[in-house]
Amino acid sequence: MDPDWRRIAEEFRRRETVEITKAIEDTGLNVKAFESALNGRPIDDALKTELRSLWHTAAESDAHLLLALYVYARCQRSWELSIEHVPLIARTIDEMYAAWQSVRRPGAGGRQERAAEPLVGTLLEQSVALKDCMAVENACQCSCPVALARHAEAVASRSERLGDDLRALNPDGDADCIEIVHDILRADEITYSGLVDVAGSVLAVLGDEPDALDTLDQAIGTLQRHESDPAILGDARESELRSYRHGLMAMRGYVLDPAIPRLELTEAGFIYVFPFAFDGVSPEQAGEAATRMWGDGHGTAGLAGQVPYYARPSELSDIWYWGHRDRPSYGGVTIVLPALSITTTAGELIEDYRAEIRLNDLGNHYVRIESRRAALNLHQTNQGFRRGSRYMGEEVIHGERGGTWARLRDYADELINDLTLAVGGDADHVVKDVDGDGHVLLEIRAAAATADAGGKRAATREDILQAAGPLISQSVQSLATSLEEWVRYPHPRSPEDVLEGCAFTDSLGVRTNNTTTLFLPGAPNWSWIEYEEVVEFAASVSALFRLWRHQIDREFEQVHAEVKRHSATPQGASTGNEPALADLRLSLGDFMAEVSERRAKLRSDQLVASAVARRFMDNLFSAADIARLESELDVHMAELDALYGRLTTHLDVLQERSTRRYQRFIEFVLAGVTLFSLAELLGLVNDLFFSGKKVQTHGWVEIVVFLMFALTVMTAIALARRRS
């Protein structure tokens, strides 16, 4: 059955693959090898052989052109669903292209050397171009117009060249397929040439060029025309161009707004916090292990390929000392690591990211990465915020002693995993979510504002809110849909100030789900250290709640299973594990008491040495919605407490059953003794009254003793039954 090219073309525009999948199935082609590669199967010789065999079979059955379309469509579809698929898509494209090249090389023979081969080659080349398309998206996630322009230009140029080559082809019977390929090439050429203009206009604005507004207007007009082009209209690319156009329009409104000053953060920096907690390795054990391995500064064990400089007791400010200098309310061990540097997608090298791990005695451990303070514009500030999240595009993170990572969160994740093994744990002994719990602190120590009517002046909190309000009041919560997307965020009318009542009136503190911004003009460095520590503490407690929830779930499952197993035994039967159940109840009670004690410390007035610091922490807790985490924990603790009560009741029942069994045993023994005693008594009576023998006086004494003993046994049995 011939493919329905019209319906396939319609689905192409919507990034759907139902019709082309049906067409592949109708040919009988087994595309399992391709699909497995796309889904993560390791690339090895066996898979490469299967991919070459797939192309051989497709060529022999005149389905190689359909297969090439299928490869392109499936890769597009996978990319449309998740950016996480990008590495798998890129390597699969490379392997499919290499397999085709090996099959079609001159001299390979067979029916595959036919007129349709150039069309297959064109499609696969455009599939290879998908890697540049994905690089464009990566540049957008990095908010990097330089890289976006470079990769968009590569896609547009390649699409134009392949389109020119396509017009020279005229394979018989492939006109419908040629039209689909032509539409793909034309749509990519239009889309990515438009994105080149987008990047250029954003660069003009960021560079404060005199004709920046004109460049913006031209780019907006270009995108409007492209959106209505027949090759784009109704295609998924139309929505992508529209999102970029809305970004440019928001940027234009931002630039033209007379109420918004031009802002420069003249001294600012970032601190990235990636919390984690150990399950089964106490804070004391973790700190002692770190000190043992790196405390003398001559350790050799590596973390993420980096050998720490040293591990020492954390040097914290005096806000954690409540009355006694030698007994801080909060502390731990700090592992100092070699510095990092970052090569951005624009090719810029940013150096001196200081890295360390803080192992805290409350269990709220975290990886801490601090950038060098420098002058930042809002474009760089946006990049800095995104750099701490999973939504940042791939850059190159360099370790001072070798090793590279694509994102800071990847480096932090590897550090935590290696540290877990180093302190004696395994993968099951760490609780973390570097994406969900990661936090970024922006410190603005000084800033300058420039208005159209005058020169530079010291920026005020109102200037910060006017110029950067949309940026600092929105969490980094999704993939970007345009460059400098933050200008599209709503402007905060009156954001909650976490520094209210905790700093001077010219200060500003804004916290979101995963960012905190502090503006404290004129504050000395020692004061900044105190604010940093409180922000980092508040950011790291999420790991504790995640740990407690994990432990509560495990305890609940374990205790519930034991109670259920014991409850299933026949009434009166003994499992022999009653002592183990009693130990389980004891450990459960200890666990619940420990969680309650550690949790109470988070809200204790004695955690920090001043009411101001306590209020600041409470403000941060409120902004972080810690109360919700506490409420959720209360619910689960209540469930665990109910199970504790059920376990106690069950143990009481088992104890009662055991007591009854013991009583029955005693009764049986006493009954036996009584039986033998009664026989002896009867024999004595017989000797006294019926045998005709002369009985000594002591015989009467024996009778009296036997009667008293029998009365005592009967009384004891009666009392035991009454108590039961």
Side-chain angles (χ1 to χ4, degrees), residues 555-564 584 588 643 647:
E555 292 285 338
F556 188 92
E557 290 177 6
Q558 180 183 356
V559 175
H560 185 266
E562 284 297 310
V563 171
K564 185 177 181 181
L584 183 62
L588 180 59
L643 191 60
L647 178 59

Side-chain angles (χ1 to χ4, degrees), residues 4-16 19 180 234-235:
D4 189 336
W5 294 112
R6 182 186 61 80
R7 298 189 65 177
I8 289 175
E10 290 175 354
E11 286 194 346
F12 256 70
R13 300 171 73 82
R14 300 193 301 268
R15 303 294 185 268
E16 296 174 0
E19 286 299 322
I180 292 177
D235 191 283

Side-chain angles (χ1 to χ4, degrees), residues 41 51 87 97 105 136 160 181 247 309 334 369 386 388 437 458 483 492 494 566 603 651 684 721:
R41 176 180 168 183
L51 295 179
Y97 188 75
R105 67 181 185 273
V136 168
E160 182 181 14
V181 178
Y309 289 138
T334 297
I369 302 172
R386 297 189 67 80
D437 294 336
L483 292 171
S494 54
H566 281 268
R603 295 286 190 179
L651 278 171
L684 183 59
R721 287 189 173 277

